[in-house]
């Protein structure tokens, strides 16, 4: 995993950010209301409607099993949004802890964390994840845990960089003079002051995390049938392409691309805004 560079967003048009944020809001709403919005159950099979094009009954068409693509995409939004959130929660818990300890303690602790993260950076994150899955078995739970560990060095390095600057501020020395312990200063003052910046960075990472999970599902390591996960839907829809049916792969693939791009736009803007308020 490679660290992301937070580019300035002053030149970005607010309209694009509003459009991206509005689209993401609609995706979240659709995921929450999927049981009410979906015209069919996501696993409902109708072989008589196999690979049907866009019709009144199936606005986005059907897959090779006759499953309604609109219904599957709506339900698949749940997995495709919740799984990256859990992944980043794991990475944040471990990465923020390691980065804060490295910045606060310095010396051998900083050197150890830096060397470990450097080694993990040199090892491809996807390959590291596949190795863990090979040991513990395929599935979304294993993928989330494995990618959470793979993303930990990225979060740790970023946390360390911003924490080093924060530890030099006067309020930290003031708490030290008062006799407050390092663990208490970090837990109740240092990390809360970094929260805005770290959250902004995690929003940037969300799109990448979603793409990574979709890739694992596409390769057969993540979500397993009959899940309606978007990455798995792309993999299942590939077989229909040779039969001239593009929608089974195009619909979930477009959903992935649109959500990832929207999160990147909103994430960079949020990281810039939240970081500037520290």
């Amino acid at each position: 995993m490679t660290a992301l560079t937070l580019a300035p967003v002053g030149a970005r048009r607010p309209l694009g950010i509003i459009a991206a944020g509005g689209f993401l809001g609609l995706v979240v709403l659709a995921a929450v209301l999927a049981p009410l919005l979906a015209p069919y159950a996501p696993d409902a099979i109708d072989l008589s409607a196999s690979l049907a094009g866009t019709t009144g009954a199936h606005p986005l068409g059907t897959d090779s099993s006759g499953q309604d693509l609109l219904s599957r995409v709506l339900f698949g939004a749940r997995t495709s949004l919740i799984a990256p959130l859990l992944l980043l929660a794991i990475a944040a818990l471990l990465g923020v802890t390691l980065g804060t300890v490295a910045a606060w303690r310095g010396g051998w602790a900083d050197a150890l964390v830096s060397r470990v993260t450097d080694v993990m950076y040199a090892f491809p994150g996807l390959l590291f994840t596949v190795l863990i899955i090979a040991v513990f078995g395929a599935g979304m739970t294993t993928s989330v845990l494995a990618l959470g560990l793979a993303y930990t060095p990225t979060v740790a390095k970023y946390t360390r960089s911003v924490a080093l600057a924060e530890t030099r501020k006067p309020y930290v020395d003031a708490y030290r003079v008062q006799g407050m312990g390092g663990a208490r200063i970090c837990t109740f003052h240092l990390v809360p002051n970094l929260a805005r910046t770290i959250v902004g960075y995690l929003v940037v990472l969300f799109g990448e995390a979603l793409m990574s999970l979709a890739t694992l599902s596409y390769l057969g390591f993540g979500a397993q049938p009959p899940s309606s996960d978007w990455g798995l839907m792309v993999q299942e829809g590939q077989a229909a392409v040779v039969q001239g049916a593009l929608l089974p792969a195009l619909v979930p693939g477009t959903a992935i691309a649109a959500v990832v791009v929207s999160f990147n736009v909103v994430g960079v803007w949020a990281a810039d805004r939240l970081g500037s308020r520290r």
Side-chain angles (χ1 to χ4, degrees), residues 2 6 12 48 72 78 109 111 156 175 193 211 219 239 274:
T2 57
L6 302 184
R12 291 185 182 276
S48 64
R72 300 202 75 201
R78 293 181 164 189
Y175 285 126
N193 286 339
M211 182 66 77
L219 295 174
L274 292 173

Side-chain angles (χ1 to χ4, degrees), residues 2 4 88 151 154-155 200-210:
T2 57
L4 299 181
L88 292 178
Y151 273 79
T154 300
V155 179
Y201 186 66
L202 292 176
V203 175
V204 176
L205 286 178
F206 193 98
E208 185 181 344
L210 190 156

Side-chain angles (χ1 to χ4, degrees), residues 64-87:
S64 58
S65 299
Q67 295 173 312
D68 182 66
L69 291 176
L70 174 59
S71 300
R72 300 202 75 201
V73 166
L74 289 173
F75 277 94
R78 293 181 164 189
T79 303
S80 298
L81 294 179
I82 293 176
L85 188 63
L86 295 176
L87 180 165

Side-chain angles (χ1 to χ4, degrees), residues 23-93:
F23 173 74
L24 291 177
L26 290 176
V27 171
V28 172
L29 187 62
V32 173
L33 300 179
L36 299 177
L37 298 177
Y40 304 93
D43 55 354
I45 296 176
D46 182 7
L47 295 179
S48 64
S50 177
L51 299 180
T54 56
T55 63
H58 303 285
L60 297 182
T62 62
D63 59 15
S64 58
S65 299
Q67 295 173 312
D68 182 66
L69 291 176
L70 174 59
S71 300
R72 300 202 75 201
V73 166
L74 289 173
F75 277 94
R78 293 181 164 189
T79 303
S80 298
L81 294 179
I82 293 176
L85 188 63
L86 295 176
L87 180 165
L88 292 178
I90 295 171
L93 178 63

